[in-house]
Each structure stands twice: as C-alpha cells, then as structure tokens.
Amino acid sequence: MGPPHTPWKALVGAAVLALLALLAAPGAVTAAPAPRESAPVYSYANAIRETVWVNTGLDGDGDGRPDRVAADIIRPAEPARQGRRVPVIMDASPYYSCCGRGNESQKKTYDAQGRPVQFPLFYDNYFVPRGYATVLVDLAGTNRSDGCIDVGGRSDVQSARAVVDWLNGRARGYTARSGGKPVTADWSNGNTGMIGKSWDATIANGVAATGVPGLKTIVPIAGISSWYDYYFAQGAALYDGGPDGLAAAVESPAAHKNCAAVQRKLVEGAPRNGDWTDLWTERDYVRHADKVRASVFLVHGMQDLNVRTKHFGQWWDALARHGVQRKIWLSQTGHVDPFDYRRADWVRTLHQWFDHYLMGYDNGIERAPMADVERAPDTWATDARWPAAGTAAVPLYPRTGTTAGVGVLNNRPAPSGQSAVFTDDPALGEADWAAAVDRATPAKAGFTTGPLTAPLRLSGAGTVTVTATPSTTSAHLSAVLVDLGPDTIRNYGADGEGIVTRTNSTCWGAGTTGDTGCFKETAADVSKVGFTVFSRGWADLGHATDPQHGHPLTPGKPYTLTLQLAASDHVVPAGHRLALIVGGTDANLIDPPASRPTLTLDLARTTARLPVTGGAPALARATAGTPAADRPTGTVLKGIAPPADPRRLPNGD
C-alpha cells in the first residue's frame, strides 16, 4: 500500500505555525501591517494642472472633424516623478460652465494660460493629496468641448467613455482643441471611478452600461437609469417639455449654432404622447445592466421628485440580477448630494470605497452592510442587504367602508359590485388627497388600514392593479402610499429639498487661493406633519392595452392597468395607519390628460401588492387591531406638498 500520505493542507499548516513561531522569537523582525487607507502625503498646491482634448470618434456637429472633449485634470506631481501611476476619479458633466455643481453652484475656473484653477466640489481637494488624479470632463457640446449634447444618447455617453479609453491607452488625446500635439496618459494606472449627481450620475450609469474596460466603479447620486422614465410614467407626461429643452439649457454657444440637426432629432424622437420610440431605447441603460463590470455605490433621496425613485429601483434590481457588487444609501431628502446631509460619514465612506476599488486596499468596505437608510432626519439604520431580507410582495385590497367615500384597506378582497368614483381635478394632488383621506372628496378614492398594532416596513417597489372605467377618451391615474400619523421629517418640498445652508464653512482636504476646498455647512430642514407620502406611481390609462403606444379610450369601457409604484424604504410605526389613495392628475408631478374624466374603480378587481418585510405574517401582526371603519372621520391632516417645479436648475436635470 506504500508509506502513509500526509495531506498537503497539513504540511502548509505546519509550515505556517513554524513561521509564526520564528517571527515570535525574541529579536525577530515583524513585517509592518499593510496600510488600510491612502494618506494625504502629496502636495495639492504643486499638483499638475492640465487639459487634454480627447477624440471621441464622433462628428456630432457635422464640421468634418472628429469631436474632441475637454478633460481637465489635477493630479499629484510626485508619483509621476517617481515612476508610479495613479488611479482616476472622474466626473463628466454638462454643467461646468452653464449652471455649476454642488450646493454652491461652483463652476470651473482657469488661469490666463487656460489651466484649471477651481474644480467644483471636494474631490480634488481631498483625493489628489491621497494619490488620486481628478478628471472633470465637459460633455460634448458644453463648455470647452466640441460636438453636440444629445441628452443621454450616444454623444453624451461617448464623451465620457472616450476619456476612460484614453486613460487606458485606447483613445487619442491632444494638447489643444484643434491641432496640438498627441498626449498620452502615461501617469494613469487605468483604474477609473466615475462619480456625480443628477445628469453626471446618469452619464456614469450610461458608461458603465457599455462595459468599458478600466471603469472599476461608479458612484451615481440621484442618477437617471432610463430617460423615458424621466419624461414619462407609463405614458403619462411628467413634464411639459422634452430633452430638447435640456439641451438648449446647457449647450455652448458654438453647439447652439451648429447642432440644429441634433436638436431636431430630440424633438422628433420624443413625442409628448408618451409613446416609446427608438430615441428612448438608445437612452435605456437598464437593458444593458448585463454589461456592467464596475461596482456601484448608488445614492438617492427617497423624496426626489426630479429624478424620481423609480430610477434607482429598476437600476438596482437589474444590477442585482447580474451579480454586480453594489452598495446603497437612501436618504429622506429630495434631489440632494450626501455631502450636504451626511458630510463626514460620506467623505469617510467614499474614501474607503475608492481606496478599495481603485487602489486595492483591503479595508472591508465590500463586506460592510449593503444599505444605509435614513429613518428620521440624521438618524440612519443599516441592512446587510437591500431590499431588506425577508421582504415579500403581499396583497392588500381596497373596500368601501361604513362612511360613503371613505374606504378601508385590508387583507380581504372586496365583494363583486363594490366601486369607488372620482373626477380628475388637475389643480389637486397627493398632498390634497392625503390631507382629506378621512373625508369623502370628489377628486380621489382613499382607503386606509386601522391603527397598526406593530411597525410595518415596506422595502422596495410595489404595484397597484386597477380596473377603471373612464367617462372620456383620455385619463391619467395616480396611486400613492401614505403613512397617516404624526412625524417630523425633512421638508423635501422646500427650496433646499430637506436641507438648509448655514453661513459658516468647513474645509475638506487641501486648498489654494483659487480653490479653498471649503464649503458652507448644512443642516436638516425639518417639518412636523400629520402624514407622509412615501411611494408613488403614475400612468396613462390609454397605454393600458399597449404599453408602448397609447390609444384613445372608449368611454364606459373598463380597462385594467398595473401602476408601478416607485421604490422606497419606509417604516409605518405602530399606531399609524397605512393609506392607499388613487386619483387622477397628481398636481405638479404629472401633466393632466386632454379631457377631465370621471373614473369608476371596480374594487373587486383592484389590488395593491406591497413589499412587506416579513411578508404576510408581518402584515397580519400589524393589522390585527381596530378596523379602519370604526375610526372618527372628517379630520384634516397636514403634510408636505411637492415642489411647484421639481425639475429646477442648476442642480436639476
């Protein structure tokens, strides 16, 4: 049989023990522990500041020359002198000259030779001394770049992708906008992380969806994942204009002069009828989530009514299906950067994230809890995964109550023949409906549970399926979930969308006279309320039979439609009630239909399926108390109305 065999693992284990014993012997020299984070050891004042114009390979403005985009760069000088390469943090934006970035609307500035002086935000001040290069890219057709802005299309995405390619030696860069000498990124190690808020975040999503090599991570803050869903919700128009209006707001004078053909395509490809076109297919990044190779640190405000929360929900779910490494922060704010509501924790966490994915530090960030969710102003909870573990879709059913026009919501379907009727009033919206949920009013159908006997957490996205009969040839529907009960929340309807800006400043990183790295402090802007709307969905009933193409309705004919509720994460406390409200036009959040219909809901064919953490047992525990029909009616509640214009510049896109 031969001699006994010693397993190889035992040999390795013995060798390790022997080595440890040797290192522990008196006088032994032990190796220093590996560093866990980059340190500010490089000079910011003496950093290299330059601009490279990168060839995109496109000719959007039709001048017969390939478009070049301006990539402004600040990088530490010392690593290059030592023959070492550095990673890149990149923010590609259309806003660097027209509107500015951040809470203080900072713009890029340059010296007399055209070299960068001020970079908006803190990324350069904080990360350049720690061994990173910061690269800010002007999207094609903006600031100092050639070409045309095309609002999330090929030109926008290629503007940034070309720079990632140049950083990895696959694209050509030059010292000037036209002519100039070729220049290579011989100082870059190729590892690139993209970051940005709003349109900038959207470009990060779009570039990641191309699968470009070298893009190691993205940090999209309030980013769009599909441009159709920025302008429409299941056929219902969210705004009274299209992407051509955004292009006109940000394009450079040269682009405004030379890009009429691109503007025309934006108008023709985005009709205001809510139909899906090829233009939207090109700008749907979710369908290419399978190509994403970068990790994703996603940040969104759960009351963001500009880039609404459907964007992060569908993007997150698609990334999860394809196994993308990811992390998420969800705040109670509107369209706000985390630097302005959780500053110190944000800088620390972002530092760890970039150190791990761009520098390779083993700091454990990828093993940390996946989700941080703001439960109350400045009060956060963590979850190992998101949506929360144990969450399942659970049905709830609206029924008529003992008071006419005041319905109940429970786990028993309505009997055949029950209905609710409302008439679209474009002057009213979710705040008006919720304030009068305990009264019969003509513009909404409201249904509530009794006071909950246990907290009820809803984590993720739900649906509401309705069967509605219209009285006219057009109709829009809105469905909202409401937490009925007193609370103190961020005032997302105010100008700061949940924050107020102080006069004092603090500094984050190194600075110079032209770029101090100091920013005004912020604080939570809070309001006491009697209800909180926490999830919303909108749709055009004319798209019920064909989601991609609307059709005139037949008055008196029932239509069945499933409204997609936007993703959220909310805990309805014990003692509060959960409400489902169905109405027509949600004022300031969708545009009204061509007519003013009366709609009859068939309650026996109307169901909400909600993402309840703990599933049906948790819902049963929470709703085991007093039936909603036994409560006093007629109370008027106070809440927060949405902003009159959720899509406002400079930081709105």
Side-chain angles (χ1 to χ4, degrees):
M1 295 178 59
H5 177 66
T6 303
W8 69 270
K9 290 185 178 179
L11 292 173
V12 173
V16 170
L17 290 174
L19 178 60
L20 291 175
L22 178 63
L23 292 175
V29 177
T30 59
R36 293 179 61 84
E37 69 174 30
S38 57
V41 297
Y42 302 118
S43 170
Y44 178 75
N46 296 327
I48 297 169
R49 291 166 167 81
E50 59 187 342
T51 302
V52 173
W53 278 266
V54 177
N55 187 341
T56 67
L58 304 177
D59 183 15
D61 52 18
D63 64 359
R65 298 178 300 170
D67 300 331
R68 295 181 183 180
V69 293
D72 292 320
I73 302 163
I74 300 179
R75 56 187 176 90
E78 297 90 340
R81 291 199 297 264
Q82 297 162 4
R84 292 186 294 107
R85 300 187 175 203
V86 299
V88 168
I89 297 169
M90 187 170 91
D91 187 341
S93 176
Y95 289 136
Y96 287 129
S97 63
C98 80
C99 314
R101 305 310 295 128
N103 190 41
E104 298 172 47
S105 300
Q106 293 180 318
K107 299 178 181 179
K108 289 181 184 177
T109 63
Y110 304 90
D111 64 16
Q113 288 73 44
R115 292 181 298 236
V117 173
Q118 175 177 276
F119 271 16
L121 308 174
F122 73 99
Y123 307 137
D124 56 315
N125 307 91
Y126 187 85
F127 285 106
V128 169
R130 288 169 167 79
Y132 293 83
T134 304
V135 178
L136 304 189
V137 180
D138 298 328
L139 292 189
T142 71
N143 201 19
R144 301 200 296 173
S145 289
D146 298 334
C148 301
I149 195 85
D150 69 351
V151 191
R154 185 185 180 199
S155 179
D156 277 17
V157 172
Q158 183 62 16
S159 298
R161 175 177 170 140
V163 178
V164 177
D165 283 333
W166 175 72
L167 292 167
N168 283 271
R170 299 187 298 267
R172 295 180 178 179
Y174 299 89
T175 57
R177 186 169 181 173
S178 61
K181 298 178 180 178
V183 58
T184 61
D186 55 4
W187 47 267
S188 166
N189 67 7
N191 292 345
T192 304
M194 292 186 68
I195 190 171
K197 176 192 163 194
S198 201
W199 200 329
D200 308 18
T202 304
I203 299 307
N205 288 339
V207 174
T210 70
V212 60
L215 183 63
K216 300 300 184 181
T217 191
I218 63 171
V219 185
I221 303 165
I224 293 167
S225 58
S226 174
W227 280 88
Y228 176 88
D229 296 309
Y230 184 73
Y231 286 101
F232 300 98
Q234 296 181 241
L238 303 181
Y239 300 113
D240 61 359
D244 55 303
L246 276 185
V250 301
E251 63 188 2
S252 66
H256 187 71
K257 177 182 177 182
N258 299 324
C259 296
V262 174
Q263 284 271 15
R264 186 167 57 254
K265 289 180 180 179
L266 292 177
V267 173
E268 294 171 350
R272 301 306 299 156
N273 58 12
D275 287 354
W276 188 277
T277 66
D278 290 343
L279 181 140
W280 303 124
T281 299
E282 180 183 334
R283 291 159 176 77
D284 179 9
Y285 313 132
V286 178
R287 68 192 180 101
H288 292 305
D290 61 315
K291 297 180 181 178
V292 175
R293 298 293 176 264
S295 62
V296 180
F297 185 178
L298 192 156
V299 182
H300 219 101
M302 291 186 288
Q303 295 290 1
D304 190 340
L305 297 171
N306 178 350
V307 179
R308 307 182 196 198
T309 60
K310 180 179 182 181
H311 289 279
F312 90 76
Q314 63 189 5
W315 187 227
W316 181 266
D317 290 345
L319 296 172
R321 287 193 296 270
H322 296 288
V324 174
Q325 184 76 38
R326 63 203 186 281
K327 184 176 179 64
I328 191 168
W329 274 19
L330 298 174
S331 74
Q332 284 193 350
T333 67
H335 200 59
V336 182
D337 192 300
F339 187 72
D340 296 315
Y341 59 73
R342 203 186 183 195
R343 186 166 294 182
D345 286 339
W346 172 242
V347 174
R348 174 182 55 81
T349 306
L350 190 63
H351 183 188
Q352 292 176 329
W353 187 264
F354 282 146
D355 270 4
H356 177 71
Y357 286 103
L358 298 182
M359 285 196 173
Y361 284 100
D362 183 13
N363 54 22
I365 187 69
E366 81 284 8
R367 299 184 295 274
M370 178 181 284
D372 281 25
V373 181
E374 190 176 24
R375 290 283 168 233
D378 295 324
T379 300
W380 292 76
T382 60
D383 279 283
R385 54 174 290 189
W386 196 88
T391 298
V394 180
L396 273 171
Y397 304 97
R399 301 165 57 97
T400 58
T402 56
T403 302
V406 181
V408 298
L409 187 66
N410 59 29
N411 59 1
R412 293 183 296 116
S416 179
Q418 282 197 1
S419 63
V421 180
F422 62 89
T423 300
D424 191 352
D425 186 344
L428 303 178
E430 59 187 44
D432 306 292
W433 304 334
V437 71
D438 291 328
R439 294 185 294 123
T441 55
K444 60 93 172 70
F447 311 91
T448 76
T449 67
L452 301 184
T453 54
L456 185 67
R457 180 178 179 183
L458 291 92
S459 179
T463 62
V464 178
T465 299
V466 302
T467 296
T469 301
S471 65
T472 62
T473 57
S474 63
H476 288 169
L477 286 170
S478 300
V480 297
L481 297 179
V482 189
D483 175 347
L484 297 171
D487 205 351
T488 299
I489 65 174
R490 289 186 183 265
N491 186 7
Y492 61 86
D495 287 345
E497 300 188 53
I499 65 166
V500 291
T501 304
R502 305 299 194 194
T503 56
N504 60 303
S505 297
T506 54
C507 303
W508 296 84
T512 62
T513 302
D515 191 337
T516 64
C518 302
F519 304 88
K520 292 179 180 178
E521 286 286 293
T522 62
D525 179 13
V526 302
S527 180
K528 293 183 178 180
V529 297
F531 67 81
T532 304
V533 179
F534 64 89
S535 185
R536 307 160 174 91
W538 309 275
D540 170 50
L541 193 58
H543 282 73
T545 57
D546 183 352
Q548 295 194 332
H549 301 283
H551 301 277
L553 300 171
T554 301
K557 176 183 176 179
Y559 294 84
T560 298
L561 173 71
T562 297
L563 290 94
Q564 305 294 325
L565 295 176
S568 185
D569 195 302
H570 185 84
V571 177
V572 183
H576 287 206
R577 293 176 289 144
L578 172 65
L580 166 66
I581 301 176
V582 180
T585 301
D586 194 349
N588 296 324
L589 294 180
I590 63 173
D591 283 353
S595 59
R596 186 175 176 180
T598 295
L599 293 121
T600 302
L601 298 182
D602 181 348
L603 297 185
R605 299 171 64 190
T606 298
T607 305
R609 299 189 66 85
L610 306 183
V612 176
T613 301
L619 179 65
R621 286 192 299 271
T623 57
T626 306
D630 293 343
R631 70 183 186 275
T633 60
T635 305
V636 177
L637 304 175
K638 175 190 175 185
I640 292 175
D645 181 9
R647 185 188 53 176
R648 49 181 182 248
L649 293 173
N651 288 324
D653 59 340

